[in-house]
Amino acid sequence: MHELSIAEQILDIATDHTAREGVASVREIELEIGTLSGIEIDALTFALDVVTKNTVLDGTKVTIIDVPAKARCESCGEEFLLEDYFSPCPACGAFQSETLQGQELRVKSLIVDE
Amino acid sequence: MCDTCGCTQPDDAVTIRKAGEEHHHHDHAHDHDHAHDHAHAHDHEGRSIAVETDILQKNNLLAERNRGYFLAKNILALNLVSSPGSGKTSLLERTIRELGGGLPVAVIEGDQQTMNDANRIREAGAPVVQVNTGNGCHLDSDMVLRAVRELQPEENSVLMIENVGNLVCPSLFDLGEARRVVIMSVTEGEDKPLKYPNMFRSSQVCVINKIDLLPHLDYDLEKAKEYALQVNHHLRFIEVSVKSGEGMDAWLTWLRDEVAAAKA
């Protein structure tokens, strides 16, 4: 359940930004989560529900933007979408690839009432 | 409430103790208390505040600070990760005994509960601090910082950080280590690397333990390595039996080479 620590970090970041902006509640929070980031979305939304009670994120709509995993084959240079870490290159079948994206864990934005 | 001293620290709070220490330190979490009360009655579209912040930023920044400290002190920090029961603590005990003080080793032990591992390491002869994570499933860079301040590892040494036995959660949390070492034992399935790819992907070395049991098992060692390489083709394998001592030379040689390389 590392999603609980992740949820706490999200709350910290949101709390910092809302304090700076002088707002008391957040209508929506947008998170960018890579498909290979190791986060279980259901567990994360559950954890967020728990940790945000009576905070600036209480009742906030959580929007998850999936970032698809992409890799470049180290053998032939082909760029392809990864379903998991052990997908071979669809062009040449090699397993040696470098991950380009898909491990993101970011708070993208907060949408607040004016 | 804490049973030891009756304070109001919750049972699941993180505690950091030296082996043999009865009492924990009181490390209370920061308080985020925002009581602004702005009356907003408008109902517009809403304003978007661009945050664009890595969720793990705090952990990662602190991990880099730890890393800088280790570099400056010439301390080789290793993050040992595995499922429970793969033999992390046994590997450390044997490593400490075989090095016999030739290369100083200090240990941070991470477990949800108990001082058992710290006591074993102390018996083996190395300075050790136990981090009990309470309900936590992994160590983070702040726990390591607090443990290091307690442990005060000497310069030109090796710091072994034994993470909580868990092949999932610790993979996301950089502690400031120089190398991540994943330990897999042959009593587990060959497909562990495929089932828990994040951990194998983020490690540099894979120690395969309990190889003395191979004749009694259906475990296919080559298959296991093949799976691990599919997930991470940079992974380097060291096969050992902590029990019989087979392969310990290769492990200790790797360790000494890493120390030498870090000094260079």
Side-chain angles (χ1 to χ4, degrees):
Chain A
M1 252 315 257
H2 56 299
E3 283 82 2
L4 195 59
S5 338
I6 299 293
E8 283 166 352
Q9 296 303 310
I10 292 170
L11 176 61
D12 268 5
I13 292 167
T15 306
D16 275 359
H17 278 79
T18 48
R20 215 178 296 161
E21 300 276 337
V23 291
S25 67
V26 178
R27 188 192 291 187
E28 182 180 348
I29 183 166
E30 291 182 314
L31 307 175
E32 286 179 332
I33 309 286
T35 52
L36 291 186
S37 64
I39 289 293
E40 197 52 52
I41 301 294
D42 286 347
L44 178 62
T45 47
F46 176 76
L48 274 171
D49 250 13
V50 175
V51 304
T52 58
K53 284 273 168 290
N54 302 318
T55 71
V56 75
L57 289 184
D58 200 345
T60 299
K61 179 184 171 204
V62 178
T63 301
I64 309 263
I65 301 162
D66 282 336
V67 182
K70 236 191 236 172
R72 183 188 294 118
C73 174
E74 286 182 15
S75 293
C76 74
E78 173 85 359
E79 284 189 17
F80 58 102
L81 290 175
L82 277 175
E83 292 277 308
D84 47 51
Y85 278 126
F86 37 89
S87 308
C89 166
C92 74
F95 281 101
Q96 290 83 348
S97 63
E98 175 202 354
T99 313
L100 301 175
Q101 64 170 50
Q103 292 168 308
E104 291 77 1
L105 278 178
R106 297 173 67 80
V107 178
K108 185 175 161 55
S109 62
L110 301 173
I111 296 153
V112 298
D113 293 322
E114 268 311 332
Chain B
M1 194 168 54
C2 164
D3 316 324
T4 317
C5 64
C7 75
T8 52
Q9 179 161 309
D11 288 338
D12 61 356
V14 174
T15 59
I16 294 174
R17 276 177 290 177
K18 284 185 174 157
E21 228 174 53
E22 288 279 310
H23 293 278
H24 58 235
H25 298 283
H26 293 267
D27 241 304
H28 295 282
H30 322 283
D31 252 320
H32 296 280
D33 231 322
H34 293 276
H36 317 285
D37 217 330
H38 305 283
H40 290 284
H42 329 284
D43 198 22
H44 303 305
E45 269 291 281
R47 173 165 64 101
S48 177
I49 302 171
V51 179
E52 300 291 353
T53 302
D54 192 324
I55 295 170
L56 291 171
Q57 176 180 264
K58 205 166 130 196
N59 183 72
N60 292 342
L61 283 175
L62 198 45
E64 286 304 334
R65 282 176 52 180
N66 290 347
R67 189 167 282 118
Y69 175 81
F70 298 144
L71 264 175
K73 292 277 200 178
N74 215 355
I75 295 168
L76 176 74
L78 302 179
N79 181 1
L80 303 171
V81 293
S82 80
S83 48
S86 65
K88 290 189 293 301
T89 314
S90 306
L91 176 66
L92 287 183
E93 285 175 302
R94 181 140 194 167
T95 302
I96 292 159
R97 292 205 166 100
E98 294 211 3
L99 287 171
L103 176 61
V105 177
V107 179
I108 296 172
E109 279 290 339
D111 281 299
Q112 283 199 320
Q113 301 289 342
T114 84
M115 296 289 286
N116 295 355
D117 283 0
N119 292 335
R120 284 170 60 186
I121 295 297
R122 189 174 59 155
E123 286 287 300
V128 58
V129 159
Q130 177 82 47
V131 179
N132 283 139
T133 57
N135 289 330
C137 48
H138 58 267
L139 295 179
D140 64 29
S141 49
D142 181 51
M143 294 178 203
V144 168
L145 171 66
R146 283 149 58 193
V148 163
R149 292 175 77 170
E150 188 70 29
L151 185 60
Q152 297 284 329
E154 62 180 284
E155 292 191 23
N156 305 306
S157 65
V158 176
L159 175 64
M160 300 283 195
I161 307 169
E162 186 182 329
N163 219 312
V164 178
N166 177 341
L167 276 176
V168 184
C169 313
S171 71
L172 282 183
F173 295 83
D174 184 5
L175 305 179
E177 71 267 22
R179 293 275 182 265
R180 191 173 288 184
V181 180
V182 60
I183 295 140
M184 164 164 78
S185 65
V186 302
T187 50
E188 304 169 47
E190 294 99 345
D191 57 354
K192 275 281 153 80
L194 300 184
K195 286 179 172 164
Y196 304 99
N198 289 60
M199 194 62 97
F200 285 85
R201 184 78 168 198
S202 64
S203 298
Q204 288 80 42
V205 177
C206 176
V207 171
I208 303 178
N209 188 22
K210 308 187 189 178
I211 55 167
D212 55 300
L213 295 176
L214 280 173
H216 312 288
L217 303 167
D218 294 329
Y219 189 84
D220 186 338
L221 186 60
E222 290 313 309
K223 195 90 200 154
K225 288 202 252 182
E226 191 187 314
Y227 286 148
L229 286 173
Q230 284 178 15
V231 173
N232 177 1
H233 60 285
H234 298 293
L235 205 56
R236 179 187 169 153
F237 300 99
I238 302 174
E239 296 158 31
V240 302
S241 162
V242 171
K243 195 176 171 80
S244 74
E246 192 183 346
M248 282 301 289
D249 279 352
W251 162 248
L252 294 175
T253 301
W254 175 79
L255 201 57
R256 290 193 185 98
D257 288 350
E258 286 294 316
V259 170
K263 271 187 195 166

